[in-house]
Amino acid sequence: MTERIDDIEKAAGTLRAGGLVAFPTETVYGLGANAEDAAAVSRIFQVKGRPPSHPLIVHIGGAAQLDDWVEDVPETARLLAERFWPGPLTLVLRRSRRVPYEATGGLETVAVRVPDHPVALALLAAFGGGVTAPSANRFGNVSPTAADHVRAELGDAVDFVLDGGLCAVGVESTIVDVTGEAPSILRPGGVTREDLEAALGRPLAVPSTSGVRVPGQHPSHYAPRARVVLVEPERVVAEAEVAQRQGRRVGVFLPPSLAGAPVEAHAAVAVPGSMDAYARGLYGFLRELDQRGCELIIASLPREEGLGLAIANRLRRAAGPRPERL
Ligand code: TXA
Ligand code: MG
């Protein structure tokens, strides 16, 4: 335990000195910098290979700090913060001058959240300020849900890695824009649309499936090296076997309805029937099939309700066009 406290102090010191710290959250690992240090924030973009126009999320230690980072907090935002923080919900609000443009991609709005992870909260408390952090992976790749994923992908480019074990939620936070007349979901994630609608007592707009509504979203994202192809669940085995017989190394996401079915493929993962477990495992499954040398991943979409909405969103984008890598 003392080691852990030491680590938190070292990590907070690294942030104060302008360094980058990878840290666990309940969703995925973040690559953090002092939100008020424009040079440190710029380094995040270099390390990730992320275009500077893609805004970052500012992580804070509690809802009480919200007013330090944003202007004009509407009632809706207070209600959602009260109900879902700490937790996998990010609110987009008008930025205060404290937030440098480097963190917002030049926008007048800023994304803020309070992560629900003891290590992240300890880091934020020890540091005292806000920590801007995207997911700790190279731009466009699968997000990390374990410290080893971060070390394997970013290595020495990060000054300090805090290890908090496996992320419990496994997909990124839900992003809700509360700057307009009606709140809208910019990215589905760990807080479900149903829970948000119940809290607000009104239906919420969700991005169209092909939609590129969050600034800086590209069609291909959350993508493994292998090409991802989505088919109907009942076609998964047949499509995989056709490609495998053509000499491709095929990885299969075997849907729960086909659990235990024999499939002629290079590698297969059994998709959990529970959406919680599927979300928790999703990025690890994609990494595993990459590691096993699959060139192609055949998968199907879950029902788009509950966490299934976020899972389907990530799978669609993993399968999106990526001219530079094909
Ligand atoms: O769960 C998460 O949200 C994780 C953990 C580390 O907190 N973070 C994460 O960050 O997923 P990142 O950078 O991979 O995704 C942040 C998303 C981007 O799609 C970005 O476009 C959007 O948040 N975003 C940030 N600021 C925004 C703003 N002012 N308006 C609209 N979208 C914004
Ligand atoms: Mg990301």
Side-chain angles (χ1 to χ4, degrees):
M1 200 57 207
T2 42
E3 256 175 49
R4 173 53 58 73
I5 291 168
D6 259 19
D7 282 350
I8 298 285
E9 280 308 327
K10 272 189 216 151
T14 302
L15 291 174
R16 277 183 214 110
L20 301 187
V21 173
F23 64 98
T25 80
E26 78 282 33
T27 58
V28 301
Y29 275 71
L31 178 62
N34 176 357
E36 291 167 274
D37 181 338
V41 174
S42 296
R43 239 188 95 207
I44 291 180
F45 289 87
Q46 279 167 27
V47 166
K48 275 190 67 101
R50 173 160 162 148
S53 57
H54 290 225
L56 305 177
I57 296 172
V58 177
H59 298 71
I60 58 174
Q65 294 165 24
L66 187 57
D67 295 274
D68 299 343
W69 299 94
V70 305
E71 308 273 343
D72 302 336
V73 182
E75 258 324 292
T76 315
R78 299 234 185 256
L79 185 148
L80 293 176
E82 165 83 11
R83 166 74 180 77
F84 296 104
W85 283 355
L89 175 70
T90 294
L91 296 174
V92 172
L93 289 150
R94 285 190 23 166
R95 73 177 255 280
S96 85
R97 280 203 296 273
R98 191 166 174 184
V99 186
Y101 282 122
E102 280 77 2
T104 71
L107 296 175
E108 289 304 334
T109 54
V110 61
V112 186
R113 88 174 186 103
V114 180
D116 186 14
H117 192 293
V119 174
L121 290 171
L123 175 66
L124 289 164
F127 176 59
V131 174
T132 35
S135 49
N137 53 278
R138 299 221 187 259
F139 183 65
N141 289 5
V142 175
S143 301
T145 49
D148 281 346
H149 300 165
V150 180
R151 292 191 193 103
E153 191 160 335
L154 298 180
D156 292 342
V158 187
D159 300 306
F160 199 88
V161 179
L162 279 171
D163 190 340
L166 291 177
C167 300
V169 175
V171 292
E172 296 82 352
S173 60
T174 304
I175 304 179
V176 177
D177 183 346
V178 277
T179 58
E181 279 289 293
S184 65
I185 296 180
L186 298 181
R187 175 179 76 183
V191 170
T192 66
R193 170 193 190 170
E194 292 84 348
D195 284 347
L196 287 165
E197 289 180 341
L200 293 170
R202 64 193 288 181
L204 275 175
V206 186
S208 72
T209 48
S210 61
V212 181
R213 295 195 30 197
V214 175
Q217 281 206 348
H218 280 204
S220 169
H221 215 92
Y222 313 106
R225 256 195 329 271
R227 203 158 71 82
V228 177
V229 174
L230 299 173
V231 302
E232 291 303 318
E234 61 278 8
R235 296 287 310 155
V236 163
V237 168
E239 297 285 348
E241 291 185 340
V242 166
Q244 182 73 24
R245 281 185 210 124
Q246 286 168 352
R248 320 274 309 263
R249 283 194 305 277
V250 178
V252 186
F253 267 35
L254 207 55
S257 58
L258 298 178
V263 51
E264 208 182 293
H266 183 70
V269 292
V271 168
S274 122
M275 287 298 122
D276 282 6
Y278 192 0
R280 199 177 306 126
L282 176 65
Y283 291 141
F285 298 153
L286 293 171
R287 277 175 196 274
E288 182 189 329
L289 293 181
D290 262 351
Q291 264 156 21
R292 293 173 70 177
C294 296
E295 301 161 89
L296 191 65
I297 295 174
I298 308 282
S300 58
L301 295 176
R303 284 168 64 112
E304 294 183 56
E305 56 190 33
L307 278 176
L309 187 66
I311 295 168
N313 170 274
R314 304 307 189 269
L315 284 172
R316 279 209 178 86
R317 299 198 51 212
R322 42 177 144 155
E324 82 281 16
R325 284 207 279 180
L326 278 183

